[in-house]
Amino acid sequence: GIRLDFLGKEKLTPTSWELSFRPQRPVRFRAGQYMELTIPHARADVRGQRRIFSIASAPVETGVIRFGLNTAERSSSLKKALLALEPGEIVSATAIGGDFLLPKSVTRPLLFVAGGIGITPFMSHLEQIRGSGAAQDVVVLYSASSAGELAYSSRLQALGSPVLLLAPAAPKPLPENWTYLGRGPLTADLLASAVPDVMSRAAYVSGPPAFVHAVRSLLRRAKAHSIRTDFFAGYTGRSTLTRYAEAPVPATEPAE
């Protein structure tokens, strides 16, 4: 097992937090992967005492592992226990895994499509790209329920990749290098207009299942070079894309 010392938490938006830990021994992982945490606590609900969380930090950030989590829905007893941790408390992790990984070629342009807290694994990707010195072409399409629910917005600005935003309203002021696409719906025409070279890009989609299925369907019709998906199964989210699937992929279809 992996033992993590809790460092503290930071509120990202009214409904999301980032938790930081220091591993007691070096931990090997790749950007885009997840870690399973074990949080023993009294009166655990049916979701149990173990939960998988996407890692928000990057392997190049030594000495810290960060996780983003959403509390918009009815929080599980495990999430409540996590948010109640005090600095210095020890948490156990039982697994690291996931194949939401970047292509080996750094010359392949990328498209990251995030719904709500689904931005978390992309922060790991972006931090790793920046930290490794790779000059990779990345466009981020970020869908949120409101301008106030843009988790990691400050860090996204600092990292500098172009951000295409779908939300009921644009943040004021709109950050440099961001483009407001409106409140939606996202259609094949809007996608083609906003990302005209989508056919050359490796596309990655992360967020609630309905969001992922809807966007994957659009990307397939747009003939994206490749598509990888990451499901935040415990979060339904009301991103502006979710309700606009033109022909949703059945939930039984396996993710790429």
Side-chain angles (χ1 to χ4, degrees):
I2 302 165
R3 294 173 68 81
L4 308 170
D5 297 324
F6 180 59
L7 298 177
K9 62 180 182 287
E10 177 185 354
K11 200 171 185 64
L12 299 173
T13 73
T15 63
S16 61
W17 293 82
E18 182 179 74
L19 281 68
S20 298
F21 297 83
R22 180 176 53 244
Q24 294 185 354
R25 294 183 179 179
V27 175
R28 296 182 62 183
F29 68 95
R30 296 174 65 182
Q33 291 193 303
Y34 59 76
M35 185 178 290
E36 183 183 60
L37 302 182
T38 300
I39 313 293
H41 57 283
R43 298 181 180 178
D45 60 22
V46 294
R47 302 185 196 182
Q49 301 191 20
R50 292 183 181 181
R51 188 79 175 269
I52 287 173
F53 293 96
S54 289
I55 302 173
S57 51
V60 293
E61 300 176 74
T62 58
V64 65
I65 294 180
R66 297 180 282 107
F67 305 96
L69 62 90
N70 181 275
T71 58
E73 309 296 321
R74 182 181 176 184
S75 290
S76 65
S77 61
L78 185 145
K79 277 189 180 180
K80 292 177 181 177
L82 263 177
L83 292 173
L85 288 173
E86 295 291 340
E89 291 192 65
I90 298 173
V91 167
S92 295
T94 53
I96 296 174
D99 61 358
F100 198 59
L101 309 175
L102 295 181
K104 293 181 179 180
S105 172
V106 298
T107 61
R108 171 63 59 190
L110 307 173
L111 172 62
F112 294 162
V113 187
I117 199 62
I119 192 69
T120 301
F122 294 135
M123 299 311 300
S124 180
H125 287 315
L126 292 168
E127 296 283 5
Q128 184 67 17
I129 291 170
R130 166 68 72 87
S132 66
Q136 197 148 9
D137 178 359
V138 183
V139 172
V140 180
L141 200 164
Y142 194 176
S143 173
S145 58
S146 72
E149 288 294 340
L150 293 166
Y152 295 106
S153 59
S154 296
R155 188 57 190 156
L156 279 171
Q157 294 175 52
L159 289 167
S161 292
V163 174
L164 309 174
L165 176 63
L166 274 169
K172 296 182 180 180
L174 187 69
E176 185 178 356
N177 217 27
W178 287 38
T179 301
Y180 179 57
L181 299 182
R183 61 183 302 123
L186 182 72
T187 62
D189 288 342
L190 179 57
L191 179 63
S193 174
V195 192
D197 60 350
V198 64
M199 292 178 66
S200 70
R201 292 183 179 271
Y204 291 73
V205 190
S206 175
F211 171 90
V212 172
H213 290 313
V215 176
R216 181 170 58 185
S217 179
L218 287 173
L219 288 169
R220 282 178 171 162
R221 285 198 292 280
K223 300 187 184 323
H225 176 270
S226 59
I227 306 169
R228 279 189 177 272
T229 57
D230 189 35
F231 294 89
F232 279 60
Y235 167 59
T236 59
R238 293 185 179 180
S239 68
T240 58
L241 297 185
T242 302
R243 59 184 188 274
Y244 300 124
E246 294 181 7
V249 178
T252 55
E253 178 175 331
E256 285 86 346

